[in-house]
Amino acid sequence: MTNNYCVIMGGGIGSRFWPFSREAYPKQFLDFFGTGRTLLQMTYDRFAKIIPAENIYIVTNALYADLIKEQLPQLDPSQVLLEPTRRNTAPCIAYAAYHIRALNPNANMVVAPCDHLILKEDEFLEDVKKGLLFVDGQDALLTMGIRPSRPETGYGYIQSCEDGADGFSKVKTFTEKPNLDLARIFYESGEFFWNSGIFLWNVDAIINALHKYLPDVTARFDLGLPEFNTAEEHAFIAQNFPYCPNISIDYAVMEKAENVYMLCVDFGWADLGTWGSLYDIAPKDIHDNAPLKTQTLLYESSGNVIALSDPERMAVIQGLKDYIVAESGNVLLICKREDEHRIKEFMADAQMLHGKEFS
């Protein structure tokens, strides 16, 4: 167990969840369910049940250092790895892997985003333990696969071979975030799984894969091998991290590698990165409307998700079907649920045309 580490990726701005998730205060720092714990805190609490507290790391943008300290005061500052700029998940994972290998060359890692909802926590923790045993000492890159409930353009898709022993199977193809037409084909075929974005491997396996498929990053990080896990690491990262390409681990490694495996899981997973995923799990009225901690009066309306940031406000809606109605701060969004893939476009236009305060 002392060789097991957890890396929580917590530096994104959650643009698919705009306008609730904003650059200054992204979704991972919000309490969506009124439980008194934010998505980040819930993720930490979950992994702390099976991973030693001192082996849990948060990788985040330097802008959020104070928010991390406020929400997870139990962490030692050395457990918060600060990125000077956003460069997507591949450089983030490379940084964490190099840091952890300098601590423990026998380390196994579970890497997870900070914005997932897990309804069946006991099953989830058993699957993580099972996965960590699978990757221990193996040259294997493991991901957890979820059977899709809808065509979704925001997730990667996995096509795997027949189930192997204990639910592990070799991955045939790995496609990152397809367009809507392709997502429909994947969904209807029944042969593809969502990539949950939860990865498990040992440090040698992932660093070897990064050397093979992302040499620009490893060549630069290799120059700083003596600096990792020392007082000089911060300065080295500040100087070198901005030169890393902006690329996801899915595009950089998982689509190309030949040693990718999948564990098919069913632990009540939802990536709270899209309004569609939130609608799927939210309680609904008799007309399939999902008001999220929001006071509403709804007339001739069905299939809508409604969210207001101020619980004292009320939404009165007539004649809407299958829409997202979301208000937060200085933005009100009214968008067809089927067009939620355009929300990033809407946010970019709002920022470009009307100023950064709308991002």
mmCIF file of all heavy atoms in Angstrom, residues 280-300:
data_model
loop_
_atom_site.group_PDB
_atom_site.id
_atom_site.type_symbol
_atom_site.label_atom_id
_atom_site.label_comp_id
_atom_site.label_asym_id
_atom_site.label_seq_id
_atom_site.Cartn_x
_atom_site.Cartn_y
_atom_site.Cartn_z
ATOM 1 N N ASP A 280 -28.639 13.643 -16.407
ATOM 2 C CA ASP A 280 -28.831 12.193 -16.333
ATOM 3 C C ASP A 280 -29.036 11.708 -14.894
ATOM 4 O O ASP A 280 -29.821 10.795 -14.638
ATOM 5 C CB ASP A 280 -27.630 11.453 -16.935
ATOM 6 C CG ASP A 280 -27.696 11.399 -18.457
ATOM 7 O OD1 ASP A 280 -28.731 11.787 -19.017
ATOM 8 O OD2 ASP A 280 -26.699 10.971 -19.067
ATOM 9 N N ILE A 281 -28.316 12.294 -13.953
ATOM 10 C CA ILE A 281 -28.338 11.784 -12.581
ATOM 11 C C ILE A 281 -29.248 12.582 -11.657
ATOM 12 O O ILE A 281 -29.501 12.163 -10.537
ATOM 13 C CB ILE A 281 -26.916 11.758 -11.984
ATOM 14 C CG1 ILE A 281 -26.352 13.176 -11.896
ATOM 15 C CG2 ILE A 281 -26.000 10.839 -12.782
ATOM 16 C CD1 ILE A 281 -25.072 13.261 -11.096
ATOM 17 N N ALA A 282 -29.731 13.736 -12.128
ATOM 18 C CA ALA A 282 -30.520 14.614 -11.259
ATOM 19 C C ALA A 282 -31.936 14.068 -11.061
ATOM 20 O O ALA A 282 -32.501 13.454 -11.964
ATOM 21 C CB ALA A 282 -30.585 16.009 -11.865
ATOM 22 N N PRO A 283 -32.531 14.302 -9.899
ATOM 23 C CA PRO A 283 -33.945 13.956 -9.718
ATOM 24 C C PRO A 283 -34.819 14.818 -10.619
ATOM 25 O O PRO A 283 -34.512 15.986 -10.856
ATOM 26 C CB PRO A 283 -34.198 14.271 -8.230
ATOM 27 C CG PRO A 283 -33.068 15.132 -7.788
ATOM 28 C CD PRO A 283 -31.913 14.853 -8.686
ATOM 29 N N LYS A 284 -35.894 14.221 -11.122
ATOM 30 C CA LYS A 284 -36.731 14.908 -12.109
ATOM 31 C C LYS A 284 -38.193 14.893 -11.675
ATOM 32 O O LYS A 284 -38.618 14.010 -10.936
ATOM 33 C CB LYS A 284 -36.579 14.250 -13.482
ATOM 34 C CG LYS A 284 -35.135 14.250 -13.990
ATOM 35 C CD LYS A 284 -34.986 13.451 -15.268
ATOM 36 C CE LYS A 284 -33.538 13.399 -15.710
ATOM 37 N NZ LYS A 284 -32.688 12.610 -14.800
ATOM 38 N N ASP A 285 -38.951 15.883 -12.179
ATOM 39 C CA ASP A 285 -40.374 15.914 -11.895
ATOM 40 C C ASP A 285 -41.116 15.006 -12.890
ATOM 41 O O ASP A 285 -40.489 14.306 -13.700
ATOM 42 C CB ASP A 285 -40.905 17.356 -11.909
ATOM 43 C CG ASP A 285 -40.837 18.005 -13.292
ATOM 44 O OD1 ASP A 285 -40.673 17.292 -14.305
ATOM 45 O OD2 ASP A 285 -40.964 19.247 -13.368
ATOM 46 N N ILE A 286 -42.438 15.029 -12.856
ATOM 47 C CA ILE A 286 -43.211 14.112 -13.702
ATOM 48 C C ILE A 286 -43.078 14.438 -15.189
ATOM 49 O O ILE A 286 -43.425 13.620 -16.039
ATOM 50 C CB ILE A 286 -44.702 14.113 -13.299
ATOM 51 C CG1 ILE A 286 -45.296 15.530 -13.409
ATOM 52 C CG2 ILE A 286 -44.886 13.559 -11.901
ATOM 53 C CD1 ILE A 286 -46.798 15.565 -13.217
ATOM 54 N N HIS A 287 -42.555 15.630 -15.500
ATOM 55 C CA HIS A 287 -42.349 16.004 -16.901
ATOM 56 C C HIS A 287 -40.869 15.969 -17.294
ATOM 57 O O HIS A 287 -40.462 16.574 -18.281
ATOM 58 C CB HIS A 287 -42.926 17.398 -17.171
ATOM 59 C CG HIS A 287 -44.398 17.503 -16.891
ATOM 60 N ND1 HIS A 287 -45.340 16.825 -17.632
ATOM 61 C CD2 HIS A 287 -45.080 18.179 -15.931
ATOM 62 C CE1 HIS A 287 -46.551 17.095 -17.148
ATOM 63 N NE2 HIS A 287 -46.412 17.902 -16.122
ATOM 64 N N ASP A 288 -40.076 15.256 -16.497
ATOM 65 C CA ASP A 288 -38.639 15.084 -16.755
ATOM 66 C C ASP A 288 -37.853 16.379 -16.707
ATOM 67 O O ASP A 288 -36.777 16.487 -17.304
ATOM 68 C CB ASP A 288 -38.404 14.377 -18.108
ATOM 69 C CG ASP A 288 -38.741 12.903 -18.051
ATOM 70 O OD1 ASP A 288 -38.613 12.320 -16.952
ATOM 71 O OD2 ASP A 288 -39.159 12.342 -19.080
ATOM 72 N N ASN A 289 -38.353 17.371 -16.008
ATOM 73 C CA ASN A 289 -37.551 18.561 -15.732
ATOM 74 C C ASN A 289 -36.659 18.296 -14.520
ATOM 75 O O ASN A 289 -37.056 17.597 -13.582
ATOM 76 C CB ASN A 289 -38.454 19.764 -15.424
ATOM 77 C CG ASN A 289 -39.294 20.161 -16.621
ATOM 78 O OD1 ASN A 289 -38.773 20.538 -17.670
ATOM 79 N ND2 ASN A 289 -40.619 20.078 -16.473
ATOM 80 N N ALA A 290 -35.459 18.868 -14.541
ATOM 81 C CA ALA A 290 -34.508 18.673 -13.447
ATOM 82 C C ALA A 290 -34.085 20.027 -12.880
ATOM 83 O O ALA A 290 -33.100 20.615 -13.334
ATOM 84 C CB ALA A 290 -33.285 17.901 -13.945
ATOM 85 N N PRO A 291 -34.847 20.558 -11.912
ATOM 86 C CA PRO A 291 -34.395 21.778 -11.250
ATOM 87 C C PRO A 291 -33.321 21.436 -10.223
ATOM 88 O O PRO A 291 -33.519 20.566 -9.382
ATOM 89 C CB PRO A 291 -35.660 22.313 -10.554
ATOM 90 C CG PRO A 291 -36.761 21.336 -10.856
ATOM 91 C CD PRO A 291 -36.134 20.093 -11.400
ATOM 92 N N LEU A 292 -32.163 22.088 -10.298
ATOM 93 C CA LEU A 292 -31.022 21.765 -9.439
ATOM 94 C C LEU A 292 -30.960 22.751 -8.283
ATOM 95 O O LEU A 292 -30.478 23.867 -8.435
ATOM 96 C CB LEU A 292 -29.720 21.811 -10.246
ATOM 97 C CG LEU A 292 -29.698 20.939 -11.504
ATOM 98 C CD1 LEU A 292 -28.436 21.183 -12.293
ATOM 99 C CD2 LEU A 292 -29.825 19.471 -11.132
ATOM 100 N N LYS A 293 -31.465 22.333 -7.128
ATOM 101 C CA LYS A 293 -31.499 23.209 -5.952
ATOM 102 C C LYS A 293 -32.051 24.583 -6.320
ATOM 103 O O LYS A 293 -31.538 25.616 -5.891
ATOM 104 C CB LYS A 293 -30.100 23.346 -5.347
ATOM 105 C CG LYS A 293 -29.517 22.071 -4.772
ATOM 106 C CD LYS A 293 -28.293 22.347 -3.918
ATOM 107 C CE LYS A 293 -27.220 23.076 -4.695
ATOM 108 N NZ LYS A 293 -26.048 23.406 -3.873
ATOM 109 N N THR A 294 -33.072 24.593 -7.169
ATOM 110 C CA THR A 294 -33.601 25.833 -7.725
ATOM 111 C C THR A 294 -35.114 25.870 -7.577
ATOM 112 O O THR A 294 -35.788 24.872 -7.829
ATOM 113 C CB THR A 294 -33.234 25.942 -9.223
ATOM 114 O OG1 THR A 294 -31.803 25.969 -9.345
ATOM 115 C CG2 THR A 294 -33.803 27.188 -9.862
ATOM 116 N N GLN A 295 -35.635 27.026 -7.176
ATOM 117 C CA GLN A 295 -37.082 27.210 -7.115
ATOM 118 C C GLN A 295 -37.612 27.477 -8.531
ATOM 119 O O GLN A 295 -37.075 28.332 -9.237
ATOM 120 C CB GLN A 295 -37.437 28.395 -6.213
ATOM 121 C CG GLN A 295 -36.964 28.236 -4.776
ATOM 122 C CD GLN A 295 -37.382 29.415 -3.931
ATOM 123 O OE1 GLN A 295 -38.541 29.542 -3.548
ATOM 124 N NE2 GLN A 295 -36.435 30.293 -3.644
ATOM 125 N N THR A 296 -38.656 26.756 -8.918
ATOM 126 C CA THR A 296 -39.169 26.907 -10.279
ATOM 127 C C THR A 296 -40.699 26.887 -10.295
ATOM 128 O O THR A 296 -41.336 26.285 -9.434
ATOM 129 C CB THR A 296 -38.674 25.764 -11.194
ATOM 130 O OG1 THR A 296 -39.087 24.503 -10.635
ATOM 131 C CG2 THR A 296 -37.168 25.787 -11.359
ATOM 132 N N LEU A 297 -41.257 27.550 -11.313
ATOM 133 C CA LEU A 297 -42.641 27.381 -11.724
ATOM 134 C C LEU A 297 -42.591 27.047 -13.205
ATOM 135 O O LEU A 297 -42.111 27.862 -14.022
ATOM 136 C CB LEU A 297 -43.454 28.664 -11.491
ATOM 137 C CG LEU A 297 -43.874 28.960 -10.048
ATOM 138 C CD1 LEU A 297 -44.564 30.316 -9.979
ATOM 139 C CD2 LEU A 297 -44.798 27.865 -9.510
ATOM 140 N N LEU A 298 -43.035 25.839 -13.572
ATOM 141 C CA LEU A 298 -42.882 25.360 -14.937
ATOM 142 C C LEU A 298 -44.256 25.081 -15.540
ATOM 143 O O LEU A 298 -45.086 24.399 -14.932
ATOM 144 C CB LEU A 298 -42.032 24.086 -14.953
ATOM 145 C CG LEU A 298 -40.638 24.208 -14.317
ATOM 146 C CD1 LEU A 298 -39.956 22.854 -14.248
ATOM 147 C CD2 LEU A 298 -39.776 25.197 -15.088
ATOM 148 N N TYR A 299 -44.461 25.607 -16.757
ATOM 149 C CA TYR A 299 -45.729 25.442 -17.460
ATOM 150 C C TYR A 299 -45.451 24.907 -18.867
ATOM 151 O O TYR A 299 -44.605 25.457 -19.590
ATOM 152 C CB TYR A 299 -46.466 26.779 -17.567
ATOM 153 C CG TYR A 299 -46.715 27.452 -16.240
ATOM 154 C CD1 TYR A 299 -45.777 28.339 -15.711
ATOM 155 C CD2 TYR A 299 -47.873 27.196 -15.527
ATOM 156 C CE1 TYR A 299 -46.006 28.961 -14.495
ATOM 157 C CE2 TYR A 299 -48.114 27.825 -14.292
ATOM 158 C CZ TYR A 299 -47.173 28.707 -13.790
ATOM 159 O OH TYR A 299 -47.392 29.316 -12.581
ATOM 160 N N GLU A 300 -46.167 23.859 -19.253
ATOM 161 C CA GLU A 300 -46.009 23.268 -20.587
ATOM 162 C C GLU A 300 -44.521 23.091 -20.945
ATOM 163 O O GLU A 300 -44.090 23.354 -22.074
ATOM 164 C CB GLU A 300 -46.690 24.124 -21.679
ATOM 165 C CG GLU A 300 -48.187 24.287 -21.540
ATOM 166 C CD GLU A 300 -48.543 25.536 -20.741
ATOM 167 O OE1 GLU A 300 -48.005 26.608 -21.066
ATOM 168 O OE2 GLU A 300 -49.363 25.458 -19.790
#
